[in-house]
Amino acid sequence: MIEIRFHGRGGQGAVVASELLAQAAFLDGKHPQSFPFFGVERRGAPVTAFCRLDDRAVRLRTSITRPDIVVVLEPGLLRAGGVMDGLPPGGLLLVNSRDDPARLPAPPEVRRASVDATAIAVAHGLGTPMLPIVNTAVLGALAAASGAVRLDALERAIDRFVPARPAQNRAAARDGFGAVRLAPAEVAVRAPPVRAGRTLRAGLELPDGPLAVVSSATIATSAWRTMRPEIDLGRCTRCNFCWKFCPDDAIELNAEGYPVVRLEHCKGCGICAVECPPGTIAMVAEG
Amino acid sequence: MAQIVMSGNHAQSYAAMLARVQVIAAYPITPQTTIVEKLAEFVADGRLPAHYLQVESEHSALQSVVSASALGARTYTATSSQGLLLMHELLHWAAGLRVPVVMGVVNRAVAPPWSIGADYSDTIAQRDTGWIQFYAESNQEVLDTVLQCYRIAEDPAVRLPAMVTEDAFYLSHTVEPVDVPSSELVDAFLPAREARAVLVPGVPARLGSFTGPVEYVGFRHDVARAMDRVLPTLAAVEEDFARRTGRDHGGPLPTYRTEDADAVLVTMGTATTTARAVVDRLREEGHRVGLAKLRLFRPFPVEALRSLAASVDRIGVLDRSFTFGPTGAAAAEVRSALYAGSARPLVADFVAGIGGRDITPDLIARMYAVLDGPEPPDVTWMDLAAPEARADG
Ligand code: SF4
Ligand code: SF4
């Protein structure tokens, strides 16, 4: 059995990638199982998806904590915790990144692979340049780097199950297959990182009730952001729509009544840009 | 018969379509949403000629299908967690009015604190409403059981509503291969509902109106007797289903390697799959262990449990919810079933997997170890420790 864990952000297609891999593996004669884990169901929040491929019905119905392969749809997620958890020496890390795989921040005993799936997706017009849909390019790279699925099964699955632009998605998968770069494990010395079990004792580590003892203001939803709103105040009519609609209360009004985005809370959902009547808010990609 | 890789939620939708339901009313809630989205798609593209009612709450969703069912229609709805709790009053109405509504429920934890993880608190809290309750282990079982439930619920001997539940995410959003029977096969297994309408348009009548104590007792007793007839009906329905599809889900309490077992774990839902693999591993190590799956919780399979207990020293029960009694609900029911029987093995309760915690092979192996130990406690909360490695980013 091969266990693969996908990391992405809500809206990026990690869940679809995992399901598409399952469909492709099924066409390849494997018995797949794929399911997502949602922390918070919001655009931009980290999302994990699990895919198991076996020759017979899978006999486990749990999250994947000891993956053979970790796939990361956005390099920024490598900075978030948990991505490398349980990946053993010799395991494969595949990241959507322009970087040389040898420079990916991973323990040296892990095999690393990178593919610039963003550039491939943009070249094939998948998603928008701001929010490219990278999952088919990444799956092509996964097929090449791991052999977990065959490219032609992947292409057949795309034809059957990707409703939008199947031809472009197939081309992206082929490009990903060809463009993946591999760096072998350097050493095999350290044990996989495992966090020690911790016992929760009521009253000691848990409050009396389900009470978050910190203000929501301390939660850095900005970590989810891939795009940032920029307001052209010269055309702003001070209607306050953006202030009213922002789901994270990330917009404040200054003394003159103009909106000011508090970037530490803005998660980049783009609702303000959609709601602004004169269209003075532009969503621009984060560097 | 075609194999399709689909989620547990879509297995619900496909089953409702194959059953040719006539009225659907639902209100979306995570993680149930994709069930009713898919059904809306089937209705919109003409594959399912049904009335799809958009309502403003779960209470109204159930009210709508109860009324449609009383008029003779085959109906379907689906919900989860807080939505099911909002339906509570109407759950009693459905059973008391003897309407064969079938409902999909995605088992999700109840707030507070807010959670979308798998947990049986939502449906366990409805066990006393007169509904038949099946807990599914796989997407295949979801699809097959929904079809079987229409036969059971509509059987003149039963006429009770039924719910088919599936674990949040571990089934609802898990895709895996499912055999989808042809519509010819399903039509032969499940003909159109015999339109034995209670209410007839143009004929004024009142349903469920005021009764005196004498009639009230009679109606409640009728529900109880109808519940008693579910088990024989299930046996007949499952036999017919197996003859047509080759699939048999093993009745109310399928067992695994219990023949010479000293210790048996009673599981529900998806934990069963993982537990089966653990049983094989422990057997290889020489432990005489087995498992039994509570597929049916209402009616409770009392006789099947008693015959299991006849040959077993110790029974562990995995409760994926806690109901704040002496033990969890499943363990309490198991004990109650066995107390009046001739064999009374030790029964120990294991609370695990609540709020969506993973039920891992190691966790299950530890339950067998505790069960095998010197004095298994009445109740053991298994996962108070943080997991070893977290994968939630
Ligand atoms: S993009 Fe706009 S609406 Fe969304 S969080 Fe940022 S400021 Fe608020
Ligand atoms: S919605 Fe647009 S116009 Fe209105 S206050 Fe915000 S930026 Fe200004």
Side-chain angles (χ1 to χ4, degrees), chain A residues 34 41 48 59 63 85 195 198, chain B residues 30 175 358 385-386 388 390:
Chain A
S34 160
E41 300 167 275
T48 311
R59 300 183 88 202
S63 312
D85 278 358
R195 271 184 234 166
R198 187 165 57 94
Chain B
T30 299
V175 302
D358 256 344
E388 283 190 341
R390 289 153 48 90

Side-chain angles (χ1 to χ4, degrees), chain A residues 229 246-248 250-251 261 265-272 283:
Chain A
C246 173
D248 275 57
I251 295 180
V261 178
H265 293 308
C266 168
K267 60 179 181 171
C269 67
I271 289 174
C272 54
M283 298 303 293

Side-chain angles (χ1 to χ4, degrees), chain A residues 102-246:
Chain A
R103 291 179 40 212
L104 291 173
E109 63 271 21
V110 161
R111 289 184 294 140
R112 278 151 292 171
S114 67
V115 63
D116 190 354
T118 303
I120 294 171
V122 169
H124 291 287
L126 299 172
T128 64
M130 224 63 96
L131 198 66
I133 308 291
V134 298
N135 48 23
T136 42
V138 168
L139 287 177
L142 176 68
S146 70
V149 67
R150 286 184 303 129
L151 181 63
D152 74 294
L154 186 57
E155 290 196 46
R156 278 189 292 146
I158 289 170
D159 261 340
R160 275 209 219 167
F161 300 106
V162 176
R165 302 179 169 232
Q168 287 87 337
N169 275 295
R170 267 192 281 112
R174 281 197 300 273
D175 285 1
F177 189 89
V180 70
R181 293 188 289 168
L182 279 156
E186 285 157 21
V187 278
V189 278
R190 279 190 283 159
V194 171
R195 271 184 234 166
R198 187 165 57 94
T199 302
L200 298 175
R201 261 174 289 153
L204 186 66
E205 290 176 66
L206 290 175
D208 283 344
L211 172 75
V213 286
V214 291
S215 156
S216 305
T218 62
I219 296 172
T221 38
S222 59
W224 306 353
R225 196 173 62 228
T226 56
M227 290 183 293
R228 159 169 49 95
E230 275 186 10
I231 307 180
D232 175 3
L233 289 180
R235 293 195 293 135
C236 170
T237 62
R238 292 187 277 182
C239 69
N240 297 350
F241 274 34
C242 56
W243 169 80
K244 194 164 181 53
F245 276 97
C246 173

